[in-house]
Amino acid sequence: IVLGFVLMALSQVLIWLPPMRGESLVNVAYAAAMLGIFWFGFTAAIAPYLALLPEMTEDLGERVKLSTFQAFFSQVSTVVNGVAVPVMIAALGFFNTALALTSIALAVFIPFLAVVKEKPPEEVKAAKLSLVEAVRITFTNRVFLYYLIPTALLVLTVNMVQMDIPYLVTVSAGLEKQHVSLFYLPLIVASVLMLPIVKKASGRYGKKKVYMWGMGLFGVPIVLLATVGLTSLDPVVLIVIVGVLGGIAAAPLFVLPNAIIADITDIDEQMTGYRREAMYFGAQGLVTKSMAGLAGVLNSALLRYLGYAPGNDLGIRMVLVVAGLALIPAVLIFRRYPVTK
């Protein structure tokens, strides 16, 4: 985690100090190297960081509580990214903004190092498996697949919507770029307010039901968003309403995935005799990042062949329809997930 965090911190500052002035292939290579280092560091830090969750507590309720805190601070960072960072860039420039944000991250990270205590290596049943065997066991674990496939479809949906929103706002709704916040701010506020309810509902009804409800309900406002500008309802009002409804439905999707994987690793330990949290979080990251890439391909194809211009925006609307409908098989598959606690 420390190594990955250092690589992230250095690369996100150094990328704003290109070696050549103006456009240059040297700068292209430099930017590619810095981005490669950043994402290598991200993977190196985040996979073991997430893998600490099931090690911190074996209590299912406490895992949901920890995941709720993770979701809360993740949403806070999203607000900072969307609201404060553009202001900082305008006032300070890219390099100084990166330096300031990295300093804030360091201030948050140092207490983490001081407080979080890992179990001694001799107390952890580390897997003595080859990489090929470890991957094979992970991707043939049916319990994991019943979770992973729906979550991959969910990530596909979310990324398709994120890529499409700027087109919808500026082309279909006829608004300005800054009006994209009309969707995101209500979504974030509603999802944060819903976090305590999600935590309580998960304890009462189980993570499976609450996560499944979230996936199913999230598709409704997404499809509704495709009607912007086609009804008598003011586009601004409709976008805000959809943002609120989306936030309510999305709250379980922010909270529960990490807690669910923690439960899956307990099942895996019963099957293999080893603790393999990082392998499962890594496998999820590999698949979900691939789905994010697929979202870009699908969006590009739909926009190109169906249109993304004023008066010819069917592609923009169909992206949302396809994204919403992708959650139907996600829910149907997740119904077979066997852990109901």
Side-chain angles (χ1 to χ4, degrees):
I1 294 174
V2 173
L3 173 63
F5 190 85
V6 169
L7 292 176
M8 290 169 65
L10 289 175
S11 59
Q12 73 173 359
V13 172
L14 293 178
I15 194 171
W16 303 109
L17 297 174
M20 306 289 289
R21 286 184 175 274
E23 295 181 7
S24 167
L25 288 178
V26 174
N27 287 346
V28 173
Y30 179 81
M34 289 299 105
L35 289 171
I37 292 171
F38 178 86
W39 287 110
F40 178 85
F42 179 88
T43 302
I46 297 303
Y49 165 75
L50 294 174
L52 283 173
L53 176 63
E55 186 175 311
M56 286 181 176
T57 177
E58 296 180 1
D59 183 271
L60 302 185
E62 288 185 354
R63 286 176 176 175
V64 174
K65 183 177 181 180
L66 289 173
S67 295
T68 302
F69 279 114
Q70 284 182 325
F72 172 75
F73 286 105
S74 175
Q75 294 300 80
V76 169
S77 71
T78 302
V79 173
V80 171
N81 179 61
V83 178
V85 171
V87 175
M88 294 174 67
I89 291 173
L92 304 175
F94 287 100
F95 174 78
N96 289 328
T97 299
L99 199 59
L101 293 175
T102 302
S103 300
I104 294 171
L106 281 170
V108 175
F109 183 68
I110 291 172
F112 165 80
L113 290 177
V115 174
V116 174
K117 303 297 181 183
E118 290 182 274
K119 292 180 180 178
E122 60 271 13
E123 294 183 15
V124 180
K125 293 181 284 187
K128 299 176 181 178
L129 301 169
S130 68
L131 178 61
V132 172
E133 182 67 7
V135 171
R136 185 192 67 79
I137 293 173
T138 302
F139 282 102
T140 54
N141 182 343
R142 289 190 177 184
V143 177
F144 181 52
L145 293 178
Y146 287 141
Y147 159 78
L148 181 63
I149 295 173
T151 300
L153 290 171
L154 173 63
V155 171
L156 176 69
T157 293
V158 170
N159 278 273
M160 290 181 71
V161 173
Q162 287 178 335
M163 294 175 189
D164 196 57
I165 286 294
Y167 291 99
L168 182 85
V169 170
T170 57
V171 176
S172 300
L175 302 172
E176 299 298 324
K177 275 185 179 180
Q178 59 266 30
H179 288 110
V180 170
S181 61
L182 292 172
F183 173 75
Y184 283 114
L185 286 180
L187 185 146
I188 292 169
V189 171
S191 65
V192 169
L193 293 176
M194 283 292 296
L195 294 180
I197 298 174
V198 170
K199 178 178 175 295
K200 188 173 182 179
S202 299
R204 181 171 181 179
Y205 300 107
K207 294 189 284 291
K208 175 183 177 178
K209 285 186 178 180
V210 177
Y211 191 60
M212 188 164 60
W213 292 341
M215 278 193 292
L217 293 175
F218 189 56
V220 176
I222 290 174
V223 175
L224 179 62
L225 196 57
T227 66
V228 165
L230 298 179
T231 67
S232 58
L233 191 62
D234 184 88
V236 171
V237 175
L238 181 56
I239 291 172
V240 171
I241 291 174
V242 168
V244 172
L245 295 176
I248 293 172
L253 312 179
F254 294 137
V255 172
L256 296 177
N258 291 344
I260 291 174
I261 290 191
D263 296 344
I264 292 172
T265 59
D266 291 343
I267 296 172
D268 180 81
E269 183 182 14
Q270 297 173 8
M271 295 166 51
T272 65
Y274 299 122
R275 295 300 304 182
R276 303 192 314 120
E277 292 93 337
M279 176 58 72
Y280 280 93
F281 282 108
Q284 175 182 245
L286 174 65
V287 172
T288 54
K289 283 182 174 62
S290 300
M291 296 305 284
L294 178 59
V297 174
L298 290 176
N299 276 36
S300 298
L302 289 169
L303 294 177
R304 178 180 179 183
Y305 292 110
L306 298 181
Y308 58 101
N312 181 31
D313 63 348
L314 180 60
I316 297 173
R317 301 180 189 279
M318 285 306 299
V319 166
L320 297 170
V321 173
V322 171
L325 293 179
L327 293 177
I328 294 176
V331 172
L332 293 176
I333 294 170
F334 192 68
R335 288 183 64 185
R336 303 188 66 179
Y337 179 73
V339 182
T340 57
K341 296 181 182 179

